Amino acid sequence: MTKKEQKNIITKHVIKAVQENFNVIEDFNDEEGRGYFTFAIESEGIEYRFDMSRNDFSIISYKIKGEKGHQEALELEEYLDKFIENEIVIVSIKEGII
């Protein structure tokens, strides 16, 4: 299996896992082709927007320091990072990537 094939398997698994475990209200897209998937999650009635890197699956929140909900966005960002790390391990073992 090539590195590109491995990356595609992991990417599909991560996106599906996030969709199944979080209230995703705007699905993953990469319309601008800039190397990030943009998506939104609703939590307690508030929309949080994130970018997920295509390269390392890291998460970046759109909330700006001082903006209402910034701390919550950072906490959700951290939780998503850990969740995704675990999902990468799961799919890598399942698919024999590691």
Side-chain angles (χ1 to χ4, degrees):
M1 181 181 318
T2 67
K3 291 284 185 190
K4 185 175 182 177
E5 290 170 330
Q6 292 173 357
K7 180 70 101 181
N8 286 338
I9 288 169
I10 293 170
T11 300
K12 288 176 185 177
H13 177 85
V14 165
I15 289 173
K16 183 178 179 189
V18 171
Q19 290 168 330
E20 290 176 350
N21 289 278
F22 295 88
N23 186 17
V24 177
I25 58 174
E26 183 179 318
D27 222 347
F28 292 77
N29 65 62
D30 185 19
E31 294 172 0
E32 298 175 15
R34 56 191 172 92
Y36 288 89
F37 289 105
T38 300
F39 65 102
I41 291 175
E42 183 179 341
S43 177
E44 298 179 11
I46 300 171
E47 178 181 315
Y48 298 95
R49 299 183 61 74
F50 300 95
D51 280 341
M52 181 180 77
S53 170
R54 284 180 165 275
N55 295 325
D56 64 5
F57 303 100
S58 61
I59 300 291
I60 301 169
S61 168
Y62 274 75
K63 293 282 185 191
I64 299 168
K65 189 173 183 176
E67 187 176 25
K68 184 179 178 180
H70 177 258
Q71 186 59 40
E72 293 83 356
L74 289 179
E75 291 169 9
L76 189 52
E77 179 181 318
E78 184 178 335
Y79 185 79
L80 280 163
D81 274 331
K82 290 178 183 175
F83 177 82
I84 289 169
E85 284 177 24
N86 289 334
E87 290 299 320
I88 290 170
V89 170
I90 289 168
V91 72
S92 295
I93 292 170
K94 180 182 173 187
E95 296 292 333
I97 295 170
I98 59 171

